[in-house]
Amino acid sequence: MIRLIAIDLDGTLFNKEQKISPANQQALQKAIQNGINLTIVTGRGQRGAEMALDMLDLDLPYISSAGALLRSG
């Protein structure tokens, strides 16, 4: 059973235009509906992680700044 998805931003969640595709948005919503916890894990700083959360309109925990900053959702 999957309990957590930790997802990177660049080249994973973000496409080449730094946007989140509708398919990725739908996949994340489906995971949430199935009770799976999500977190963003990125080498980007706090601003980059929060930009992704704004795009998704979600309040999720994240790990940013190459692991130096943690924020619970």
Side-chain angles (χ1 to χ4, degrees), residues 49-65:
E50 290 179 356
M51 179 180 69
L53 295 176
D54 287 344
M55 286 181 189
L56 292 167
D57 195 28
L58 293 173
D59 184 27
L60 301 174
Y62 62 79
I63 301 169
S64 66
S65 303

Side-chain angles (χ1 to χ4, degrees), residues 1-5 34-37:
M1 169 193 274
I2 297 173
R3 295 184 184 179
L4 172 70
I5 295 174
N34 286 305
I36 299 171
N37 295 303

Side-chain angles (χ1 to χ4, degrees), residues 2 26 35 52 70:
I2 297 173
Q26 289 173 347
L70 308 173

Side-chain angles (χ1 to χ4, degrees), residues 6-16 19-21 24 41:
I7 191 163
D8 184 37
L9 296 180
D10 297 313
T12 306
L13 188 61
F14 285 160
N15 61 22
K16 291 179 183 177
K19 296 186 179 181
I20 302 169
S21 72
N24 279 349
V41 181

